[in-house]
Amino acid sequence: MNEGEYDERRLRDFVAGRARGFSRRELLLLTAAVGVGAAAATTGARPAAAASPIVKPLPPELFKVHGTNAETRWSALKGQGYHVPIDRFFVRNHTSTPIIDPATWNLEVFGSGLRGAAEHFTLRDLKRLPSETRDVAVECAGNGRSYFTSQQGQTVSGTTWGLGAVGVARWRGVRLSTVLRHAGLSRDAVDVQPSGLDADFVSGGVDLGPVRRPFPLRKALDDVLLAYEMNGEPLPADHGAPVRALVPGWVGIASIKWVGRIEVSAEPLFSPWNTQFYRLFGPEFPAAGLPFDRQVIKSAFELDPGTTLPSGVRTRLTGRSWSANGPIRKVDVSTDGGTTWRRARPYGATPGGVWQRWELDWTPAAGSHVLLARATDVRGNTQPDVTRHNTLGYVFDAVVRVPVTAV
Ligand SMILES: Nc1nc2c(c(=O)[nH]1)N[C@H]1C(S)=C(S)[C@@H](COP(=O)(O)O)O[C@H]1N2
Ligand SMILES: [Mo]
């Protein structure tokens, strides 16, 4: 499928005002309303929110907390297996983790892209459908954002993630295609949009409604999963219980948590999460912003920047590299700020081919050092030295410079 073409077509729809759900006109009105402090509308009954934005414990050795979000410390992945355990998987919440009763939860599938009326599914209904288990990465589009500033000297807005807004887990659920077929897809359906049961997102005093983001029907029928299990356990509250979407290869925002409704539309769908946010803005991009969906290629060492290592002793550097465009072919590592490079040794199976673990032995001399890792995937995509600046700080893929000290 050609996602670039889809994005281009939707950008034209959007600029021409051919939009359902969230139009350019609405966006302009919204932007105008921010100044006068428009009152936030409230919609429907919502499940209770937990007292803290995140339910699970966030010990400082595993997480760095950023407001309602928690980033995995890369040092916490050292010695772990292929999958990121639930106790250290990053959390990105626009508001707060809602507590939803799985016994009364139900999913509504509705819209002009169905042959008939809306269909409802309980959790039990979903579990009776054929299940599928798959390894999928969830990665925030803003993962690595802080490096635009610290490494490229650029101003960006949004959560100042290091590289820990990514995780790979084993998910089990039902294919979205199975659910859509049960709901009665019409031949006119073009776009699909799940929305969350967490609180409406309010930005600049304006209620933008539930967190939601559309994708094309073709993607929905290809590999999107509605998951109710994570690493063999019932989906935890913070990761979308009872059911979340997983949209492989796409930016994390597409993988809507706490799914309550799925709209299937015969017309193009838009939401603030693909018009106002999750577009590339800046001097190098079109005025309406450049839409994008897919993640990029990155590498991370399994240590915290600034860490101290024993000098004169052989240490095993370990890390992981991943690309949304294919398995990793090679990873080159430098321990001297980029002057010389050595090929890292890949290890471990890569079920699903989502990320590759690697290692390299190194005996540091006393003093300060800068580590770098550059991955290349099987399609020849490689990490550049510099990522093109965009004001919202998305899809940072440049090689990251990691300072360490040996004493
Ligand atoms: N309903 C809902 N879904 C959501 C979000 C949210 O705030 N609400 N955050 C999105 C974003 S931006 C990301 S990166 C991923 C994070 O998934 P995780 O918290 O399970 O790691 O969930 C996505 N799905
Ligand atoms: Mo995200």
Side-chain angles (χ1 to χ4, degrees):
M1 70 171 300
N2 188 336
E3 289 158 7
E5 223 169 72
Y6 163 78
D7 282 338
E8 249 172 58
R9 206 170 337 120
R10 286 292 174 273
L11 180 58
R12 283 199 301 274
D13 291 335
F14 179 66
V15 169
R18 286 190 299 270
R20 268 256 310 107
F22 197 78
S23 68
R24 185 144 182 260
R25 207 180 106 75
E26 281 171 297
L27 176 60
L28 296 176
L29 287 174
L30 233 175
T31 318
V34 173
V36 299
T42 46
T43 54
R46 293 286 183 178
S52 136
I54 297 175
V55 172
K56 69 184 177 184
L58 303 171
E61 65 278 13
L62 302 185
F63 291 102
K64 183 172 177 194
V65 174
H66 305 266
T68 56
N69 315 297
E71 163 169 13
T72 303
R73 284 195 192 278
W74 268 94
S75 55
L77 295 187
K78 190 162 182 95
Q80 297 295 321
Y82 183 78
H83 301 106
V84 175
I86 290 166
D87 71 352
R88 56 203 72 194
F89 203 100
F90 88 100
V91 180
R92 162 67 174 120
N93 280 351
H94 279 72
T95 59
S96 237
T97 294
I99 303 302
I100 298 170
D101 179 0
T104 55
W105 174 87
N106 84 78
L107 170 67
E108 182 187 11
V109 182
F110 70 102
S112 58
L114 294 186
R115 282 199 305 274
E119 277 289 339
H120 294 260
F121 300 84
T122 63
L123 187 55
R124 200 193 261 184
D125 294 334
L126 292 187
K127 288 184 173 172
R128 269 201 287 255
L129 295 171
S131 79
E132 186 159 307
T133 301
R134 204 166 333 127
D135 296 305
V136 179
V138 177
E139 181 177 14
C140 190
N143 193 27
R145 177 181 287 125
S146 65
Y147 293 101
F148 278 105
T149 306
S150 65
Q151 203 161 285
Q152 303 188 175
Q154 294 159 339
T155 303
V156 288
S157 57
T159 304
T160 54
W161 301 113
L163 285 173
V166 62
V168 176
R170 170 157 291 182
W171 311 90
R172 179 160 170 263
V174 52
R175 294 179 79 106
L176 178 55
S177 63
T178 306
V179 172
L180 294 183
R181 290 206 175 92
H182 275 264
L185 262 189
S186 129
R187 290 167 66 183
D188 303 327
V190 292
D191 280 358
V192 177
Q193 177 165 264
S195 57
L197 290 168
D198 42 340
D200 284 3
F201 184 61
V202 177
S203 172
V206 179
D207 189 333
L208 298 178
V211 178
R212 62 199 187 280
R213 191 180 194 271
F215 42 81
L217 180 71
R218 254 197 300 179
K219 180 69 176 168
L221 297 183
D222 180 26
D223 60 358
V224 177
L225 200 64
L226 292 176
Y228 45 73
E229 267 182 36
M230 179 180 187
N231 294 341
E233 290 182 38
L235 193 62
D238 294 314
H239 298 290
V243 172
R244 81 174 300 167
L246 286 161
V247 183
W250 281 40
V251 287
I253 183 64
S255 293
I256 294 296
K257 304 193 278 188
W258 315 294
V259 173
R261 311 177 81 203
I262 299 179
E263 178 169 7
V264 185
S265 174
E267 299 154 89
L269 287 177
F270 292 90
S271 91
W273 288 270
N274 73 340
T275 54
Q276 187 177 356
F277 316 118
Y278 303 95
R279 277 197 188 205
L280 304 179
F281 292 103
E284 293 188 56
F285 299 101
L290 188 69
F292 68 102
D293 315 298
R294 201 158 268 279
Q295 277 293 358
V296 288
I297 181 168
K298 286 193 186 77
S299 299
F301 288 91
E302 293 172 341
L303 50 77
D304 296 320
T307 203
T308 300
L309 303 167
S311 67
V313 178
R314 188 156 64 153
T315 19
R316 178 151 293 180
L317 296 174
T318 60
R320 302 176 192 229
S321 298
W322 61 101
S323 166
N325 290 297
I328 295 299
R329 182 162 64 81
K330 61 168 186 169
V331 180
D332 294 304
V333 170
S334 172
T335 52
D336 57 9
T339 308
T340 61
W341 295 83
R342 284 190 289 158
R343 185 68 43 87
R345 269 191 313 277
Y347 75 90
T350 60
V354 187
W355 60 14
Q356 175 66 59
R357 287 177 286 163
W358 45 261
E359 59 189 19
L360 187 91
D361 291 337
W362 178 48
T363 307
S368 312
H369 305 272
V370 175
L371 309 180
L372 299 89
R374 172 182 273 124
T376 304
D377 70 22
V378 293
R379 296 168 86 172
N381 300 298
T382 193
Q383 296 182 252
D385 291 327
V386 176
T387 299
R388 259 202 311 178
H389 176 237
N390 67 91
T391 59
L392 299 182
Y394 296 128
V395 287
F396 189 88
D397 60 351
V399 174
V400 166
R401 304 173 62 85
V402 184
V404 297
T405 306
V407 292

